[in-house]
Amino acid sequence: MSETTTTNTTASATTTEALRERALKLDAADPLADRRELFALDDGVYLDGNSLGALPAHVPARVQDVLTRQWGELRIRSWEESGWWTAPERIGDRIAPLVGAAAGQIVVGDSTSVNVFKAVVAAARIAGEGRDEILVDATTFPTDGYIAASAARLTGHRIVPVAPADVPAALGPRAAVVLLNQVDYRSGRLHDLPGLTAAVHAAGAVAVWDLCHSAGALPVGLDEHGVDLAVGCTYKYLNGGPGSPAYLYVAERHQAAFDSPLPGWNSHADPFGMTPDYAPADGSARGRVGTPDIVSMLTLEAALDAWDGVEVDAVRAKSLALTDFFLECVEAYVPAGRVTSVTPAAHAERGSQVALRCDDAESVMRRLIERGVVGDLRRPDVLRFGFTPLYVGFADAERAARVLAEVLAETAGA
């Protein structure tokens, strides 16, 4: 991974004023600017939507209806009258356009970790006998690695850690499954989903993608690029709320062969038959397990209203413009040598966050948050700033870089 170290000294007043004016002009021309009004925000700068998205302002009233009317008054009748039973597939169909999938291929429920387990085990079973390797992104979020290792023990496979760029060379006749992240959670590097998926298929293996840091930030193209299985969370760029349910994508061509390691009554062909033998339901419902978390699920459904009328291509365009502008401001403002960008400069390799390496990152992030600029930290030395195009503006990016420079200048030599 190439790294670019900032070289400019602290910016002059003229430079600062010019960047502030540009930010205002960019915000005025932003076609997504009106989306900001849909969210409950304070006067700070919230750049941690890649960990927890902001609250859409209309959601509390919708949740209140779920609690007081649907649960409080209708009670058990809400499974039919309020559509609780069909929520996992219904909400999956609302997420589908955001990740480039046709309806009927996404089911919402459980956590990302649980869905990774379902996907990896099912993928190993789809790949069939004679293939005993599960290739795993060596830089993956730790839980994905833990889950893949458990799946390997269960299925008699072995884990092969590999850097995403090295996947094509590592693929061989024993490869069964390849589990990759579309965007690296530390650096924000965007991996080549189309190219890597094609390489996996050429080797006869099954591709499983983790979309936690890409869904809602950039076009994914699951159907277009022939992805087999995918999982993702909904509490980051999709703003579903803390711990909101994750989702599982099973390409239509694999649904009949999808053999979940967690069969439950909710995924049974006749769930109320209560028979001792398991018969899987048709379609994406095979990804269900037990009774869904209705309150959290319907909170997510309400939050997705913020996406009505939004094109993902417009989100991607703003994301790239925001991160470009933030990096420009960092280069102009930050004292020389204090931070190093580990986020790729090339648009084709960048997600929707900027990661800066900083020797005293923990102290710096604490001070930033005290001053109203909220990012987060990945130990030992990475400051992460997530840019959520639905509610982050260019003035936010300029202010964040300026405050970062002030903090770094104050802590120089400390």
Side-chain angles (χ1 to χ4, degrees), residues 6 19 22 26 45 47 319-334 339 341 343 350 353-356 368 373 383-387 392-405:
T6 58
L19 287 170
R22 272 186 57 205
L26 288 167
V45 178
L47 300 181
S319 165
L320 291 172
L322 277 170
T323 48
D324 277 344
F325 185 64
F326 177 70
L327 287 166
E328 180 182 349
C329 291
V330 168
E331 185 172 3
Y333 291 161
V334 169
V339 299
S341 174
T343 298
R350 188 194 308 166
Q353 73 179 48
V354 172
L356 302 176
L368 283 170
V373 176
L383 304 170
R384 292 198 319 169
F385 302 94
F387 290 84
V392 173
F394 293 90
D396 294 323
E398 186 276 332
R399 178 180 166 190
R402 180 162 33 88
V403 174
L404 173 63

mmCIF file of all heavy atoms in Angstrom, residues 6 19 22 26 45 47 319-334 339 341 343 350 353-356 368 373 383-387 392-405:
data_model
loop_
_atom_site.group_PDB
_atom_site.id
_atom_site.type_symbol
_atom_site.label_atom_id
_atom_site.label_comp_id
_atom_site.label_asym_id
_atom_site.label_seq_id
_atom_site.Cartn_x
_atom_site.Cartn_y
_atom_site.Cartn_z
ATOM 1 N N THR A 6 1.992 14.225 4.330
ATOM 2 C CA THR A 6 1.748 15.637 4.079
ATOM 3 C C THR A 6 3.041 16.417 4.260
ATOM 4 O O THR A 6 3.890 16.096 5.094
ATOM 5 C CB THR A 6 0.685 16.185 5.035
ATOM 6 O OG1 THR A 6 1.133 15.981 6.372
ATOM 7 C CG2 THR A 6 -0.625 15.463 4.835
ATOM 8 N N LEU A 19 -10.220 28.064 1.329
ATOM 9 C CA LEU A 19 -10.800 26.729 1.484
ATOM 10 C C LEU A 19 -12.196 26.798 2.092
ATOM 11 O O LEU A 19 -13.085 26.034 1.721
ATOM 12 C CB LEU A 19 -9.877 25.853 2.329
ATOM 13 C CG LEU A 19 -8.590 25.397 1.626
ATOM 14 C CD1 LEU A 19 -7.637 24.735 2.617
ATOM 15 C CD2 LEU A 19 -8.906 24.447 0.474
ATOM 16 N N ARG A 22 -14.531 27.836 -0.695
ATOM 17 C CA ARG A 22 -14.781 26.712 -1.602
ATOM 18 C C ARG A 22 -15.763 25.729 -0.992
ATOM 19 O O ARG A 22 -16.640 25.194 -1.675
ATOM 20 C CB ARG A 22 -13.473 26.000 -1.925
ATOM 21 C CG ARG A 22 -12.738 26.590 -3.141
ATOM 22 C CD ARG A 22 -11.543 25.756 -3.493
ATOM 23 N NE ARG A 22 -11.895 24.365 -3.767
ATOM 24 C CZ ARG A 22 -11.040 23.341 -3.629
ATOM 25 N NH1 ARG A 22 -9.818 23.562 -3.198
ATOM 26 N NH2 ARG A 22 -11.429 22.115 -3.926
ATOM 27 N N LEU A 26 -19.239 24.516 -2.632
ATOM 28 C CA LEU A 26 -19.495 23.102 -2.905
ATOM 29 C C LEU A 26 -20.769 22.638 -2.206
ATOM 30 O O LEU A 26 -21.569 21.878 -2.782
ATOM 31 C CB LEU A 26 -18.304 22.260 -2.448
ATOM 32 C CG LEU A 26 -17.041 22.375 -3.312
ATOM 33 C CD1 LEU A 26 -15.841 21.765 -2.587
ATOM 34 C CD2 LEU A 26 -17.247 21.698 -4.666
ATOM 35 N N VAL A 45 -19.128 18.134 14.124
ATOM 36 C CA VAL A 45 -18.838 17.456 12.863
ATOM 37 C C VAL A 45 -18.784 15.963 13.152
ATOM 38 O O VAL A 45 -17.892 15.494 13.871
ATOM 39 C CB VAL A 45 -17.503 17.925 12.255
ATOM 40 C CG1 VAL A 45 -17.213 17.163 10.951
ATOM 41 C CG2 VAL A 45 -17.536 19.429 11.991
ATOM 42 N N LEU A 47 -18.036 12.469 11.959
ATOM 43 C CA LEU A 47 -17.334 11.700 10.929
ATOM 44 C C LEU A 47 -17.095 10.269 11.402
ATOM 45 O O LEU A 47 -16.035 9.693 11.177
ATOM 46 C CB LEU A 47 -15.997 12.380 10.581
ATOM 47 C CG LEU A 47 -16.096 13.802 10.033
ATOM 48 C CD1 LEU A 47 -14.710 14.357 9.710
ATOM 49 C CD2 LEU A 47 -16.982 13.869 8.792
ATOM 50 N N SER A 319 -19.103 11.264 -2.157
ATOM 51 C CA SER A 319 -18.120 10.649 -1.275
ATOM 52 C C SER A 319 -16.695 10.927 -1.749
ATOM 53 O O SER A 319 -15.829 11.321 -0.958
ATOM 54 C CB SER A 319 -18.360 9.143 -1.212
ATOM 55 O OG SER A 319 -17.257 8.465 -0.651
ATOM 56 N N LEU A 320 -16.463 10.734 -3.023
ATOM 57 C CA LEU A 320 -15.119 10.966 -3.563
ATOM 58 C C LEU A 320 -14.749 12.440 -3.490
ATOM 59 O O LEU A 320 -13.607 12.794 -3.167
ATOM 60 C CB LEU A 320 -15.043 10.460 -5.001
ATOM 61 C CG LEU A 320 -15.106 8.940 -5.152
ATOM 62 C CD1 LEU A 320 -15.221 8.554 -6.614
ATOM 63 C CD2 LEU A 320 -13.895 8.268 -4.511
ATOM 64 N N ALA A 321 -15.710 13.309 -3.778
ATOM 65 C CA ALA A 321 -15.430 14.744 -3.703
ATOM 66 C C ALA A 321 -15.135 15.168 -2.264
ATOM 67 O O ALA A 321 -14.227 15.979 -2.018
ATOM 68 C CB ALA A 321 -16.613 15.534 -4.257
ATOM 69 N N LEU A 322 -15.886 14.634 -1.317
ATOM 70 C CA LEU A 322 -15.655 14.963 0.097
ATOM 71 C C LEU A 322 -14.286 14.491 0.567
ATOM 72 O O LEU A 322 -13.555 15.252 1.233
ATOM 73 C CB LEU A 322 -16.728 14.300 0.963
ATOM 74 C CG LEU A 322 -18.071 14.996 1.119
ATOM 75 C CD1 LEU A 322 -19.058 14.049 1.801
ATOM 76 C CD2 LEU A 322 -17.942 16.284 1.921
ATOM 77 N N THR A 323 -13.940 13.258 0.267
ATOM 78 C CA THR A 323 -12.662 12.743 0.741
ATOM 79 C C THR A 323 -11.496 13.421 0.030
ATOM 80 O O THR A 323 -10.455 13.674 0.644
ATOM 81 C CB THR A 323 -12.594 11.214 0.581
ATOM 82 O OG1 THR A 323 -13.008 10.830 -0.742
ATOM 83 C CG2 THR A 323 -13.523 10.538 1.588
ATOM 84 N N ASP A 324 -11.661 13.749 -1.249
ATOM 85 C CA ASP A 324 -10.638 14.536 -1.946
ATOM 86 C C ASP A 324 -10.427 15.882 -1.245
ATOM 87 O O ASP A 324 -9.287 16.312 -0.997
ATOM 88 C CB ASP A 324 -11.058 14.807 -3.400
ATOM 89 C CG ASP A 324 -10.745 13.661 -4.341
ATOM 90 O OD1 ASP A 324 -9.943 12.770 -3.983
ATOM 91 O OD2 ASP A 324 -11.306 13.659 -5.455
ATOM 92 N N PHE A 325 -11.534 16.557 -0.954
ATOM 93 C CA PHE A 325 -11.455 17.883 -0.353
ATOM 94 C C PHE A 325 -10.855 17.818 1.051
ATOM 95 O O PHE A 325 -10.030 18.664 1.425
ATOM 96 C CB PHE A 325 -12.837 18.531 -0.321
ATOM 97 C CG PHE A 325 -12.849 19.950 0.163
ATOM 98 C CD1 PHE A 325 -12.200 20.942 -0.554
ATOM 99 C CD2 PHE A 325 -13.500 20.294 1.335
ATOM 100 C CE1 PHE A 325 -12.203 22.266 -0.112
ATOM 101 C CE2 PHE A 325 -13.514 21.602 1.785
ATOM 102 C CZ PHE A 325 -12.865 22.591 1.063
ATOM 103 N N PHE A 326 -11.243 16.812 1.822
ATOM 104 C CA PHE A 326 -10.677 16.664 3.164
ATOM 105 C C PHE A 326 -9.170 16.448 3.092
ATOM 106 O O PHE A 326 -8.396 17.073 3.845
ATOM 107 C CB PHE A 326 -11.348 15.501 3.880
ATOM 108 C CG PHE A 326 -10.798 15.223 5.249
ATOM 109 C CD1 PHE A 326 -11.018 16.106 6.301
ATOM 110 C CD2 PHE A 326 -10.057 14.071 5.496
ATOM 111 C CE1 PHE A 326 -10.511 15.840 7.574
ATOM 112 C CE2 PHE A 326 -9.556 13.803 6.758
ATOM 113 C CZ PHE A 326 -9.782 14.694 7.798
ATOM 114 N N LEU A 327 -8.724 15.575 2.206
ATOM 115 C CA LEU A 327 -7.286 15.339 2.062
ATOM 116 C C LEU A 327 -6.557 16.597 1.621
ATOM 117 O O LEU A 327 -5.436 16.867 2.074
ATOM 118 C CB LEU A 327 -7.044 14.196 1.069
ATOM 119 C CG LEU A 327 -7.371 12.795 1.587
ATOM 120 C CD1 LEU A 327 -7.415 11.792 0.437
ATOM 121 C CD2 LEU A 327 -6.368 12.356 2.641
ATOM 122 N N GLU A 328 -7.199 17.384 0.752
ATOM 123 C CA GLU A 328 -6.596 18.654 0.332
ATOM 124 C C GLU A 328 -6.465 19.601 1.521
ATOM 125 O O GLU A 328 -5.431 20.267 1.695
ATOM 126 C CB GLU A 328 -7.445 19.291 -0.765
ATOM 127 C CG GLU A 328 -6.901 20.621 -1.263
ATOM 128 C CD GLU A 328 -7.786 21.273 -2.315
ATOM 129 O OE1 GLU A 328 -8.712 20.599 -2.814
ATOM 130 O OE2 GLU A 328 -7.554 22.464 -2.626
ATOM 131 N N CYS A 329 -7.506 19.661 2.335
ATOM 132 C CA CYS A 329 -7.462 20.542 3.508
ATOM 133 C C CYS A 329 -6.435 20.061 4.524
ATOM 134 O O CYS A 329 -5.731 20.871 5.144
ATOM 135 C CB CYS A 329 -8.843 20.630 4.156
ATOM 136 S SG CYS A 329 -10.082 21.515 3.173
ATOM 137 N N VAL A 330 -6.334 18.765 4.715
ATOM 138 C CA VAL A 330 -5.327 18.221 5.624
ATOM 139 C C VAL A 330 -3.933 18.600 5.148
ATOM 140 O O VAL A 330 -3.080 19.036 5.939
ATOM 141 C CB VAL A 330 -5.463 16.685 5.740
ATOM 142 C CG1 VAL A 330 -4.260 16.075 6.434
ATOM 143 C CG2 VAL A 330 -6.739 16.330 6.492
ATOM 144 N N GLU A 331 -3.695 18.464 3.855
ATOM 145 C CA GLU A 331 -2.382 18.816 3.319
ATOM 146 C C GLU A 331 -2.087 20.299 3.504
ATOM 147 O O GLU A 331 -0.952 20.693 3.780
ATOM 148 C CB GLU A 331 -2.301 18.453 1.839
ATOM 149 C CG GLU A 331 -0.925 18.678 1.240
ATOM 150 C CD GLU A 331 -0.805 18.148 -0.170
ATOM 151 O OE1 GLU A 331 -1.809 17.657 -0.705
ATOM 152 O OE2 GLU A 331 0.306 18.233 -0.723
ATOM 153 N N ALA A 332 -3.123 21.125 3.379
ATOM 154 C CA ALA A 332 -2.918 22.568 3.519
ATOM 155 C C ALA A 332 -2.749 23.000 4.966
ATOM 156 O O ALA A 332 -1.996 23.936 5.259
ATOM 157 C CB ALA A 332 -4.103 23.312 2.897
ATOM 158 N N TYR A 333 -3.438 22.335 5.891
ATOM 159 C CA TYR A 333 -3.508 22.806 7.270
ATOM 160 C C TYR A 333 -2.539 22.126 8.239
ATOM 161 O O TYR A 333 -2.043 22.755 9.167
ATOM 162 C CB TYR A 333 -4.921 22.591 7.824
ATOM 163 C CG TYR A 333 -6.000 23.451 7.247
ATOM 164 C CD1 TYR A 333 -7.338 23.076 7.388
ATOM 165 C CD2 TYR A 333 -5.727 24.626 6.556
ATOM 166 C CE1 TYR A 333 -8.367 23.846 6.875
ATOM 167 C CE2 TYR A 333 -6.747 25.402 6.028
ATOM 168 C CZ TYR A 333 -8.069 25.006 6.188
ATOM 169 O OH TYR A 333 -9.077 25.780 5.680
ATOM 170 N N VAL A 334 -2.339 20.846 8.081
ATOM 171 C CA VAL A 334 -1.655 20.069 9.121
ATOM 172 C C VAL A 334 -0.148 20.336 9.111
ATOM 173 O O VAL A 334 0.471 20.369 8.046
ATOM 174 C CB VAL A 334 -1.945 18.567 8.923
ATOM 175 C CG1 VAL A 334 -1.049 17.697 9.813
ATOM 176 C CG2 VAL A 334 -3.411 18.274 9.225
ATOM 177 N N VAL A 339 1.067 13.657 10.132
ATOM 178 C CA VAL A 339 0.180 12.555 9.766
ATOM 179 C C VAL A 339 0.575 12.003 8.403
ATOM 180 O O VAL A 339 1.192 12.700 7.593
ATOM 181 C CB VAL A 339 -1.312 12.970 9.731
ATOM 182 C CG1 VAL A 339 -1.770 13.446 11.099
ATOM 183 C CG2 VAL A 339 -1.562 14.023 8.668
ATOM 184 N N SER A 341 -1.305 9.735 5.275
ATOM 185 C CA SER A 341 -2.538 9.117 4.779
ATOM 186 C C SER A 341 -2.261 7.681 4.341
ATOM 187 O O SER A 341 -1.347 7.431 3.553
ATOM 188 C CB SER A 341 -3.105 9.909 3.608
ATOM 189 O OG SER A 341 -4.219 9.228 3.055
ATOM 190 N N THR A 343 -4.952 5.965 3.253
ATOM 191 C CA THR A 343 -6.077 5.771 2.337
ATOM 192 C C THR A 343 -5.598 6.022 0.913
ATOM 193 O O THR A 343 -4.959 7.040 0.649
ATOM 194 C CB THR A 343 -7.224 6.732 2.680
ATOM 195 O OG1 THR A 343 -7.693 6.449 3.987
ATOM 196 C CG2 THR A 343 -8.374 6.596 1.690
ATOM 197 N N ARG A 350 -10.514 3.649 -3.307
ATOM 198 C CA ARG A 350 -10.899 4.344 -2.080
ATOM 199 C C ARG A 350 -12.365 4.124 -1.751
ATOM 200 O O ARG A 350 -13.234 4.255 -2.610
ATOM 201 C CB ARG A 350 -10.646 5.848 -2.224
ATOM 202 C CG ARG A 350 -10.853 6.628 -0.914
ATOM 203 C CD ARG A 350 -10.929 8.123 -1.151
ATOM 204 N NE ARG A 350 -9.804 8.605 -1.931
ATOM 205 C CZ ARG A 350 -9.786 9.804 -2.501
ATOM 206 N NH1 ARG A 350 -10.827 10.619 -2.391
ATOM 207 N NH2 ARG A 350 -8.738 10.188 -3.192
ATOM 208 N N GLN A 353 -13.953 6.584 3.546
ATOM 209 C CA GLN A 353 -13.316 7.062 4.768
ATOM 210 C C GLN A 353 -11.887 7.471 4.455
ATOM 211 O O GLN A 353 -11.321 7.070 3.436
ATOM 212 C CB GLN A 353 -13.313 5.999 5.864
ATOM 213 C CG GLN A 353 -12.329 4.864 5.630
ATOM 214 C CD GLN A 353 -12.341 3.839 6.754
ATOM 215 O OE1 GLN A 353 -13.382 3.384 7.183
ATOM 216 N NE2 GLN A 353 -11.167 3.457 7.221
ATOM 217 N N VAL A 354 -11.314 8.274 5.346
ATOM 218 C CA VAL A 354 -9.910 8.652 5.258
ATOM 219 C C VAL A 354 -9.242 8.207 6.548
ATOM 220 O O VAL A 354 -9.724 8.522 7.642
ATOM 221 C CB VAL A 354 -9.729 10.160 5.058
ATOM 222 C CG1 VAL A 354 -8.255 10.553 5.174
ATOM 223 C CG2 VAL A 354 -10.278 10.588 3.695
ATOM 224 N N ALA A 355 -8.171 7.470 6.418
ATOM 225 C CA ALA A 355 -7.409 6.990 7.570
ATOM 226 C C ALA A 355 -6.052 7.667 7.578
ATOM 227 O O ALA A 355 -5.329 7.628 6.574
ATOM 228 C CB ALA A 355 -7.257 5.470 7.508
ATOM 229 N N LEU A 356 -5.723 8.274 8.700
ATOM 230 C CA LEU A 356 -4.464 8.988 8.840
ATOM 231 C C LEU A 356 -3.637 8.349 9.950
ATOM 232 O O LEU A 356 -4.123 8.191 11.077
ATOM 233 C CB LEU A 356 -4.709 10.460 9.185
ATOM 234 C CG LEU A 356 -5.550 11.268 8.191
ATOM 235 C CD1 LEU A 356 -5.786 12.675 8.721
ATOM 236 C CD2 LEU A 356 -4.874 11.330 6.822
ATOM 237 N N LEU A 368 -9.849 15.863 19.559
ATOM 238 C CA LEU A 368 -10.765 16.207 18.476
ATOM 239 C C LEU A 368 -12.219 16.084 18.933
ATOM 240 O O LEU A 368 -13.049 16.961 18.683
ATOM 241 C CB LEU A 368 -10.527 15.294 17.270
ATOM 242 C CG LEU A 368 -9.309 15.588 16.391
ATOM 243 C CD1 LEU A 368 -9.098 14.452 15.401
ATOM 244 C CD2 LEU A 368 -9.476 16.906 15.662
ATOM 245 N N VAL A 373 -15.343 17.383 16.853
ATOM 246 C CA VAL A 373 -15.047 16.656 15.617
ATOM 247 C C VAL A 373 -14.925 15.182 15.987
ATOM 248 O O VAL A 373 -13.944 14.769 16.604
ATOM 249 C CB VAL A 373 -13.763 17.155 14.943
ATOM 250 C CG1 VAL A 373 -13.428 16.307 13.718
ATOM 251 C CG2 VAL A 373 -13.913 18.614 14.549
ATOM 252 N N LEU A 383 -6.109 7.267 12.840
ATOM 253 C CA LEU A 383 -7.300 8.095 13.001
ATOM 254 C C LEU A 383 -8.206 7.828 11.807
ATOM 255 O O LEU A 383 -7.775 7.935 10.656
ATOM 256 C CB LEU A 383 -6.924 9.583 13.003
ATOM 257 C CG LEU A 383 -5.891 10.056 14.018
ATOM 258 C CD1 LEU A 383 -5.477 11.501 13.710
ATOM 259 C CD2 LEU A 383 -6.442 9.959 15.436
ATOM 260 N N ARG A 384 -9.462 7.480 12.078
ATOM 261 C CA ARG A 384 -10.406 7.210 10.984
ATOM 262 C C ARG A 384 -11.466 8.295 10.929
ATOM 263 O O ARG A 384 -12.041 8.682 11.947
ATOM 264 C CB ARG A 384 -11.106 5.862 11.179
ATOM 265 C CG ARG A 384 -10.259 4.647 11.055
ATOM 266 C CD ARG A 384 -11.109 3.393 10.833
ATOM 267 N NE ARG A 384 -12.308 3.378 11.652
ATOM 268 C CZ ARG A 384 -13.304 2.511 11.502
ATOM 269 N NH1 ARG A 384 -13.258 1.595 10.552
ATOM 270 N NH2 ARG A 384 -14.364 2.531 12.301
ATOM 271 N N PHE A 385 -11.740 8.755 9.719
ATOM 272 C CA PHE A 385 -12.779 9.762 9.497
ATOM 273 C C PHE A 385 -13.704 9.235 8.403
ATOM 274 O O PHE A 385 -13.296 9.069 7.249
ATOM 275 C CB PHE A 385 -12.164 11.096 9.083
ATOM 276 C CG PHE A 385 -11.195 11.657 10.080
ATOM 277 C CD1 PHE A 385 -9.834 11.419 9.957
ATOM 278 C CD2 PHE A 385 -11.648 12.390 11.170
ATOM 279 C CE1 PHE A 385 -8.935 11.932 10.880
ATOM 280 C CE2 PHE A 385 -10.763 12.905 12.110
ATOM 281 C CZ PHE A 385 -9.400 12.665 11.964
ATOM 282 N N GLY A 386 -14.947 8.947 8.777
ATOM 283 C CA GLY A 386 -15.909 8.411 7.824
ATOM 284 C C GLY A 386 -16.776 9.515 7.240
ATOM 285 O O GLY A 386 -17.293 10.363 7.976
ATOM 286 N N PHE A 387 -16.944 9.505 5.936
ATOM 287 C CA PHE A 387 -17.720 10.535 5.248
ATOM 288 C C PHE A 387 -19.011 9.927 4.711
ATOM 289 O O PHE A 387 -19.003 9.156 3.752
ATOM 290 C CB PHE A 387 -16.876 11.155 4.135
ATOM 291 C CG PHE A 387 -15.757 11.995 4.676
ATOM 292 C CD1 PHE A 387 -14.556 11.402 5.059
ATOM 293 C CD2 PHE A 387 -15.922 13.350 4.875
ATOM 294 C CE1 PHE A 387 -13.533 12.160 5.599
ATOM 295 C CE2 PHE A 387 -14.904 14.118 5.418
ATOM 296 C CZ PHE A 387 -13.706 13.520 5.787
ATOM 297 N N VAL A 392 -23.025 14.547 5.670
ATOM 298 C CA VAL A 392 -21.764 15.257 5.849
ATOM 299 C C VAL A 392 -21.559 16.201 4.675
ATOM 300 O O VAL A 392 -21.758 15.823 3.517
ATOM 301 C CB VAL A 392 -20.579 14.270 5.958
ATOM 302 C CG1 VAL A 392 -19.248 15.027 5.976
ATOM 303 C CG2 VAL A 392 -20.718 13.430 7.221
ATOM 304 N N GLY A 393 -21.155 17.433 4.979
ATOM 305 C CA GLY A 393 -20.936 18.433 3.943
ATOM 306 C C GLY A 393 -19.479 18.829 3.823
ATOM 307 O O GLY A 393 -18.618 18.408 4.607
ATOM 308 N N PHE A 394 -19.201 19.680 2.854
ATOM 309 C CA PHE A 394 -17.830 20.122 2.597
ATOM 310 C C PHE A 394 -17.332 21.067 3.687
ATOM 311 O O PHE A 394 -16.139 21.043 4.022
ATOM 312 C CB PHE A 394 -17.745 20.770 1.213
ATOM 313 C CG PHE A 394 -17.966 19.785 0.106
ATOM 314 C CD1 PHE A 394 -19.257 19.542 -0.376
ATOM 315 C CD2 PHE A 394 -16.921 19.078 -0.449
ATOM 316 C CE1 PHE A 394 -19.475 18.619 -1.385
ATOM 317 C CE2 PHE A 394 -17.132 18.146 -1.456
ATOM 318 C CZ PHE A 394 -18.418 17.918 -1.930
ATOM 319 N N ALA A 395 -18.225 21.865 4.255
ATOM 320 C CA ALA A 395 -17.819 22.712 5.384
ATOM 321 C C ALA A 395 -17.411 21.846 6.572
ATOM 322 O O ALA A 395 -16.503 22.211 7.332
ATOM 323 C CB ALA A 395 -18.951 23.657 5.773
ATOM 324 N N ASP A 396 -18.059 20.703 6.741
ATOM 325 C CA ASP A 396 -17.668 19.770 7.793
ATOM 326 C C ASP A 396 -16.245 19.261 7.552
ATOM 327 O O ASP A 396 -15.439 19.168 8.489
ATOM 328 C CB ASP A 396 -18.611 18.562 7.825
ATOM 329 C CG ASP A 396 -20.035 18.922 8.218
ATOM 330 O OD1 ASP A 396 -20.204 19.799 9.078
ATOM 331 O OD2 ASP A 396 -20.957 18.310 7.663
ATOM 332 N N ALA A 397 -15.955 18.926 6.304
ATOM 333 C CA ALA A 397 -14.626 18.403 5.976
ATOM 334 C C ALA A 397 -13.553 19.451 6.241
ATOM 335 O O ALA A 397 -12.492 19.149 6.810
ATOM 336 C CB ALA A 397 -14.595 17.960 4.514
ATOM 337 N N GLU A 398 -13.825 20.693 5.831
ATOM 338 C CA GLU A 398 -12.848 21.770 6.053
ATOM 339 C C GLU A 398 -12.633 22.012 7.542
ATOM 340 O O GLU A 398 -11.497 22.144 8.014
ATOM 341 C CB GLU A 398 -13.336 23.054 5.363
ATOM 342 C CG GLU A 398 -12.347 24.205 5.398
ATOM 343 C CD GLU A 398 -12.405 25.014 6.703
ATOM 344 O OE1 GLU A 398 -13.494 25.057 7.324
ATOM 345 O OE2 GLU A 398 -11.360 25.584 7.099
ATOM 346 N N ARG A 399 -13.712 22.064 8.292
ATOM 347 C CA ARG A 399 -13.606 22.312 9.735
ATOM 348 C C ARG A 399 -12.849 21.183 10.432
ATOM 349 O O ARG A 399 -12.007 21.433 11.300
ATOM 350 C CB ARG A 399 -15.001 22.457 10.340
ATOM 351 C CG ARG A 399 -15.003 22.680 11.851
ATOM 352 C CD ARG A 399 -16.429 22.802 12.365
ATOM 353 N NE ARG A 399 -16.505 22.682 13.805
ATOM 354 C CZ ARG A 399 -17.635 22.565 14.495
ATOM 355 N NH1 ARG A 399 -18.806 22.566 13.838
ATOM 356 N NH2 ARG A 399 -17.618 22.455 15.796
ATOM 357 N N ALA A 400 -13.130 19.954 10.055
ATOM 358 C CA ALA A 400 -12.449 18.820 10.674
ATOM 359 C C ALA A 400 -10.947 18.880 10.444
ATOM 360 O O ALA A 400 -10.150 18.660 11.371
ATOM 361 C CB ALA A 400 -13.016 17.506 10.133
ATOM 362 N N ALA A 401 -10.538 19.199 9.214
ATOM 363 C CA ALA A 401 -9.105 19.295 8.921
ATOM 364 C C ALA A 401 -8.462 20.448 9.675
ATOM 365 O O ALA A 401 -7.329 20.334 10.174
ATOM 366 C CB ALA A 401 -8.904 19.463 7.410
ATOM 367 N N ARG A 402 -9.183 21.551 9.780
ATOM 368 C CA ARG A 402 -8.644 22.725 10.487
ATOM 369 C C ARG A 402 -8.468 22.435 11.975
ATOM 370 O O ARG A 402 -7.431 22.779 12.572
ATOM 371 C CB ARG A 402 -9.575 23.917 10.249
ATOM 372 C CG ARG A 402 -9.141 25.202 10.911
ATOM 373 C CD ARG A 402 -9.843 26.408 10.293
ATOM 374 N NE ARG A 402 -11.195 26.126 9.845
ATOM 375 C CZ ARG A 402 -12.272 26.223 10.612
ATOM 376 N NH1 ARG A 402 -12.154 26.560 11.883
ATOM 377 N NH2 ARG A 402 -13.479 25.960 10.107
ATOM 378 N N VAL A 403 -9.459 21.810 12.585
ATOM 379 C CA VAL A 403 -9.352 21.479 14.012
ATOM 380 C C VAL A 403 -8.260 20.432 14.233
ATOM 381 O O VAL A 403 -7.519 20.496 15.223
ATOM 382 C CB VAL A 403 -10.715 20.990 14.551
ATOM 383 C CG1 VAL A 403 -10.583 20.516 15.994
ATOM 384 C CG2 VAL A 403 -11.743 22.112 14.467
ATOM 385 N N LEU A 404 -8.142 19.484 13.326
ATOM 386 C CA LEU A 404 -7.069 18.497 13.422
ATOM 387 C C LEU A 404 -5.710 19.203 13.418
ATOM 388 O O LEU A 404 -4.824 18.874 14.231
ATOM 389 C CB LEU A 404 -7.157 17.520 12.257
ATOM 390 C CG LEU A 404 -5.995 16.518 12.116
ATOM 391 C CD1 LEU A 404 -5.913 15.598 13.334
ATOM 392 C CD2 LEU A 404 -6.145 15.700 10.832
ATOM 393 N N ALA A 405 -5.555 20.164 12.531
ATOM 394 C CA ALA A 405 -4.269 20.899 12.469
ATOM 395 C C ALA A 405 -4.006 21.634 13.767
ATOM 396 O O ALA A 405 -2.873 21.678 14.268
ATOM 397 C CB ALA A 405 -4.302 21.873 11.293
#
